[in-house]
Amino acid sequence: MNRVFGIDVGGTSIKIGLFEEGGELVATEEVPTGALLTEDDFAKVTGALGRVLEQNGAAPEEVCAIGLDIPGPVDAEGRVGMLPNIQLDDKGLRAAIQDSFGAARLAFVNDANAAALGELWQGAARGVGSAVLVALGTGVGAGVIVDGRVVAGAFGAAGEIGHLTVNRSETRVCGCGRCGCLEQYASATGVVRMYRERCEAAGATPVPLTGPTDTLSVFRAAEHGNEVAADAIFSMADYLGYALAQVSCVIDPEVYLIGGGVGKGFGFFGERLRSAFRHYCLATSAGTRIVQASLGNAAAMYGCAYQALLARS
Amino acid sequence: MNRVFGIDVGGTSIKIGLFEEGGELVATEEVPTGALLTEDDFAKVTGALGRVLEQNGAAPEEVCAIGLDIPGPVDAEGRVGMLPNIQLDDKGLRAAIQDSFGAARLAFVNDANAAALGELWQGAARGVGSAVLVALGTGVGAGVIVDGRVVAGAFGAAGEIGHLTVNRSETRVCGCGRCGCLEQYASATGVVRMYRERCEAAGATPVPLTGPTDTLSVFRAAEHGNEVAADAIFSMADYLGYALAQVSCVIDPEVYLIGGGVGKGFGFFGERLRSAFRHYCLATSAGTRIVQASLGNAAAMYGCAYQALLARS
């Protein structure tokens, strides 16, 4: 039977998913890795893949496709670009995996794109032709799906909607060197910063926060009636709705899927986001659906497997 | 031999192009039409198609595909949406053409998308995988090409980059009912309006203009050293560069093609546009090419033919 691996590569660990070709997730395993630069590092990965197969009574020859995601740009040809946030020799890892699984087709995909593909294959975007998965995490990224395929971009920058300019008056500089990016308001960091700033402006004491990305506490405070917290979240939803209205003027997708850590608060801000989008969008696109992504952290793993299957055909 | 018709449908006339399947333009004819609502109107179109074939020694059975463009939304399934700017019964016209050319596959396409496809097939975007054709005319539209195919959008609104918001402080209302759209600055009307406003503010007498879309006179004035005219055109280029930088954050195309009536002044504003784009874009996309479209008014005709060929396969 044909098997597929979807491997979500992070900075400190990898999440391995073993799938059947039809999309059923057979087994998962998370393996701490750290840097992936040497033959020893790569052996940790291939060893883990072998163990998962063995535990599930499958042989290496049955693996027809292996997809890996990367927290950085991957262009339309599958070439990996600069990886500022992770220590990874992608060419070395590719060679090591190919050595162990000669029958498998390997594919790399950007992590936000992987999550979008996962939702398309087995999640909230199943059966949809065009969709944008918006990952609201430490940063803001997106996976853009058109005609059932992920759009990588000529320079691997498709879906960089975290860097749409939403406030031309902003003077604070974004990580990208520009000012007024969506990411400055709709990332976990952005929500917490806006909350703290508004507490200070209102002379209110912030609720205890575990760190600069602890949006969960801000959401909880808002749910318990904290107006400053609600205000910060609604600002986030307004900026995001504005940005998605711009995206619709470019590719006009059928549905937006809201995921990532901040996306977990969708129940709280979803309606506000929808009304902001309808306020800012062209009338033609007012019917676009905005829903919560459904596969959570596993989305990327699914999407890696799916991309590898697509690349094979 | 297989022949293809590309028909650029306008409000007062249609431009017919007869092509060979490989893309060679064999003959063109422009036919005044006016409204296309009755059987008599449709007969003008089918009659003209028949004449063009006869003059070129081809038979109706040789026509394998016919594409028509529409100045309005066409969704991913080829369904025509509301057509505010033209009197056209698209279903009636389709039926009449199909009656005369039973062997041909018919396809409708949005006019900006048609121009993009034309440039992709036989123009400045030949051999390119992803491109955006920006049509700067009375309005501002765009045709978005990803992986060699036009992106129509779930609601037919893909490529509506004329309605990207580029100035959130604008109070003047755009035709779409929103404020601060690119079209308010980068259309022919927008350039002429900015020029007149700046003349008034500077106490300068505007050069004679033939009407509210006479950008040609503004370009000429600028070329002859008129600083107010140059200033209006550079503002246009700045807004456009800003908007294209947003587009690159969504789909990151390989190349932008600047067309339409205002696009004819590309020699004058092209460098300014490129530097505005590089100023506003994510560093990753700085290498994106921005060039003048090459097929001029014939682009849509080419694109109609190409879309019909694509739809056939």
Side-chain angles (χ1 to χ4, degrees):
Chain A
M1 188 194 293
N2 277 341
R3 308 287 191 153
V4 188
F5 274 122
I7 309 174
D8 183 17
V9 180
T12 56
S13 71
I14 60 168
K15 285 201 280 282
I16 299 170
L18 177 63
F19 294 86
E20 290 180 5
E21 223 176 344
E24 200 197 328
L25 180 58
V26 180
T28 59
E29 186 166 331
E30 185 158 358
V31 184
T33 49
L36 291 169
L37 297 170
T38 68
E39 290 301 327
D40 281 356
D41 300 335
F42 305 149
K44 278 189 221 164
V45 177
T46 52
L49 294 177
R51 273 198 311 281
V52 172
L53 281 177
E54 205 181 315
Q55 283 158 8
N56 291 277
E61 310 81 68
E62 293 177 61
V63 180
C64 65
I66 302 177
L68 299 100
D69 70 0
I70 300 290
V74 180
D75 73 11
E77 311 299 319
R79 284 181 300 247
V80 175
M82 260 209 319
L83 300 171
N85 301 319
I86 188 171
Q87 290 194 286
L88 168 68
D89 169 8
D90 62 285
K91 288 187 189 64
L93 181 59
R94 173 189 282 269
I97 294 176
Q98 201 72 78
D99 270 357
S100 301
F101 301 93
R105 164 85 196 211
L106 253 67
F108 281 96
V109 57
N110 164 271
D111 53 357
N113 291 347
L117 282 167
E119 295 286 346
L120 183 75
W121 192 33
Q122 299 294 332
R126 212 168 158 167
V128 158
S130 61
V132 175
L133 176 103
V134 182
L136 305 171
T138 314
V140 172
V144 174
I145 306 284
V146 171
D147 290 337
R149 299 239 166 186
V150 71
V151 180
F155 305 92
E160 286 286 1
I161 72 161
H163 299 289
L164 285 171
T165 308
V166 295
N167 179 7
R168 295 190 74 169
S169 321
E170 180 62 82
T171 53
R172 194 183 287 106
V173 179
C174 176
C176 73
R178 293 142 76 240
C179 293
C181 293
L182 174 65
E183 186 161 297
Q184 294 183 280
Y185 312 96
S187 64
T189 335
V191 171
V192 169
R193 182 187 52 73
M194 283 196 291
Y195 170 60
R196 283 182 165 147
E197 281 174 3
R198 279 155 207 227
C199 283
E200 203 176 307
T205 310
V207 296
L209 299 171
T210 61
T213 61
D214 179 15
T215 43
L216 190 60
S217 298
V218 183
F219 282 124
R220 281 203 189 118
E223 276 165 349
H224 289 93
N226 185 315
E227 282 184 24
V228 184
D231 188 50
I233 293 164
F234 289 158
S235 280
M236 179 277 281
D238 191 75
Y239 278 118
L240 181 56
Y242 173 82
L244 299 187
Q246 311 304 309
V247 175
S248 283
C249 287
V250 182
I251 48 155
D252 185 31
E254 202 172 324
V255 60
Y256 290 101
L257 307 167
I258 312 299
V262 179
K264 288 178 187 151
F266 188 82
F268 189 75
F269 68 79
E271 263 321 306
R272 184 60 71 111
L273 171 60
R274 289 182 183 128
S275 72
F277 174 80
R278 281 194 301 266
H279 175 71
Y280 292 117
C281 77
L282 260 187
T284 323
S285 299
T288 311
R289 287 185 300 129
I290 302 181
V291 301
Q292 190 168 19
S294 68
L295 296 175
N297 288 339
M301 216 164 56
Y302 276 89
C304 289
Y306 187 48
Q307 175 75 2
L309 282 172
L310 288 175
R312 202 176 51 119
S313 60
Chain B
M1 188 194 295
N2 277 340
R3 308 288 189 151
V4 189
F5 275 121
I7 308 175
D8 182 17
V9 180
T12 56
S13 71
I14 60 169
K15 285 201 279 283
I16 299 170
L18 177 64
F19 294 86
E20 289 179 8
E21 224 176 344
E24 200 197 327
L25 180 59
V26 180
T28 60
E29 186 167 331
E30 184 157 1
V31 183
T33 49
L36 291 169
L37 298 170
T38 67
E39 290 301 327
D40 281 356
D41 300 336
F42 304 150
K44 277 189 221 163
V45 177
T46 51
L49 295 177
R51 273 198 310 281
V52 172
L53 283 177
E54 206 182 313
Q55 285 158 7
N56 290 278
E61 309 81 68
E62 292 177 63
V63 180
C64 66
I66 302 176
L68 299 100
D69 71 359
I70 300 289
V74 180
D75 74 11
E77 310 299 320
R79 283 181 299 247
V80 174
M82 260 208 320
L83 299 172
N85 301 320
I86 188 171
Q87 289 194 287
L88 168 67
D89 170 9
D90 62 286
K91 288 188 191 64
L93 180 60
R94 173 190 282 270
I97 294 177
Q98 199 73 78
D99 269 358
S100 302
F101 300 93
R105 164 83 196 211
L106 253 68
F108 281 96
V109 58
N110 165 270
D111 53 357
N113 292 347
L117 282 166
E119 295 285 346
L120 182 76
W121 192 33
Q122 299 294 332
R126 211 168 157 167
V128 158
S130 61
V132 174
L133 175 105
V134 182
L136 305 171
T138 314
V140 173
V144 175
I145 306 285
V146 171
D147 289 337
R149 297 237 166 189
V150 70
V151 180
F155 305 93
E160 286 286 0
I161 72 161
H163 299 288
L164 285 171
T165 307
V166 295
N167 179 7
R168 295 190 73 170
S169 322
E170 181 61 81
T171 53
R172 193 183 287 107
V173 180
C174 177
C176 73
R178 293 143 75 241
C179 293
C181 293
L182 174 65
E183 185 162 298
Q184 294 183 280
Y185 312 97
S187 64
T189 336
V191 172
V192 169
R193 182 187 51 72
M194 284 196 292
Y195 170 60
R196 282 182 165 149
E197 281 174 3
R198 279 157 206 224
C199 283
E200 202 177 309
T205 309
V207 296
L209 298 172
T210 60
T213 60
D214 179 16
T215 43
L216 191 60
S217 298
V218 183
F219 283 124
R220 281 203 190 119
E223 276 166 348
H224 288 95
N226 185 317
E227 283 183 24
V228 184
D231 187 51
I233 293 164
F234 290 160
S235 280
M236 180 277 280
D238 192 75
Y239 279 118
L240 182 56
Y242 172 83
L244 299 187
Q246 311 303 310
V247 174
S248 282
C249 287
V250 182
I251 49 156
D252 186 30
E254 203 172 322
V255 60
Y256 290 100
L257 307 168
I258 311 300
V262 180
K264 288 177 187 152
F266 188 82
F268 189 76
F269 67 79
E271 263 321 304
R272 184 62 69 111
L273 171 60
R274 288 181 183 129
S275 73
F277 174 80
R278 282 195 301 266
H279 174 72
Y280 292 118
C281 77
L282 262 186
T284 323
S285 300
T288 311
R289 287 185 300 129
I290 302 181
V291 301
Q292 189 168 19
S294 68
L295 295 175
N297 288 338
M301 217 165 56
Y302 276 89
C304 289
Y306 187 49
Q307 174 75 3
L309 282 172
L310 288 175
R312 202 176 51 120
S313 60

